[in-house]
Amino acid sequence: MSIVKSTFLLAPAELDRLRVVLVESRNPLNIGAAARAMSNFGFRHLRVVSPYEVAYRQAKAAVGAADLLANSEEYASVAEAVADCTLVVGTTAVGKRDLQHPLKRLEQGGRMVRKQLASSRVALLFGSERYGLSNQDLSHCHWLLHIPTHQQNISMNLGQAVAVCLYELVRDGRAVQPAQRVKRATASEVERATGVLMEALHISGYIKPRRAVYTEENVRRLVRRLDLSTRDVEFWLGIMRQVIWKMKS
């Protein structure tokens, strides 16, 4: 059977800018399937956050993806795994969750990710097979991606979800828009801005001990919705440091 190779692929440089991030994966078959899907569509950078160690070791023998898994990177936290990316997108089946992020369908989100890959790195996050991404994980995301599924069975297998999302990215590569001139802030730069804001809020007494975790998650999401540039972050840091200095003096 002859298969015609698609011409609608992302450019090599664009493929190289995507980071697929698996958070707390526990099934070696799913990790292997995700890596195989990445290999199928030309993506090379897999990052894992706090994986189940036995599953991670077993997955490294995945057929057709051994090299990719051997070169995968392991991180202790989501913040570390996405630090060099300017756009961080989480995936969710939605269900009954009360989401605080903008939610995009796969086709719309795919266009937005492709546009960003034209100029900078993007992290695409997938949660554990049982619980998905936690609220803490989601607080590092700019927005969320949703694969439309039937209401009677909304949750997809991890490997399948990775494959569907990656296919959406490569199937219409010619639709990529010209790169924006404004240099968007990386996740680590945005986290710096978030950190000084939280420091100011703690000093002012706005963040109460009993609700600290909840408030900090909301603050982190708020900052990411601002879509800051690198220049914005430096301006922000200057303002907040002056405010903190004034409050302490």
Side-chain angles (χ1 to χ4, degrees), residues 143-228:
W143 46 266
L144 305 181
L145 186 67
H146 168 59
I147 301 173
T149 53
H150 196 278
Q151 291 184 349
Q152 292 183 349
N153 193 0
I154 62 173
S155 181
M156 292 186 68
N157 171 273
L158 175 60
Q160 293 175 332
V162 172
V164 170
C165 289
L166 298 185
Y167 172 70
E168 180 65 28
L169 294 184
V170 302
R171 76 178 182 88
D172 192 21
R174 291 180 178 177
V176 174
Q177 300 297 317
Q180 297 178 350
R181 293 184 179 181
V182 177
K183 183 180 179 182
R184 292 187 61 182
T186 64
S188 62
E189 290 172 332
V190 175
E191 188 64 17
R192 284 173 59 206
T194 305
V196 294
L197 175 56
M198 287 185 182
E199 182 181 357
L201 294 176
H202 276 288
I203 294 172
S204 69
Y206 178 82
I207 296 181
K208 308 300 181 184
R210 290 185 177 182
R211 294 177 60 82
V213 174
Y214 174 77
T215 303
E216 289 176 1
E217 288 176 0
N218 281 336
V219 170
R220 185 172 280 112
R221 287 192 292 265
L222 170 64
V223 175
R224 277 150 183 78
R225 286 198 295 270
L226 297 176
D227 198 22
L228 298 172

Side-chain angles (χ1 to χ4, degrees), residues 7 16 28 52 58 99 156 165 190 245:
T7 59
D16 194 55
Y52 182 50
Q58 292 177 355
L99 300 174
M156 292 186 68
C165 289
V190 175
W245 175 81

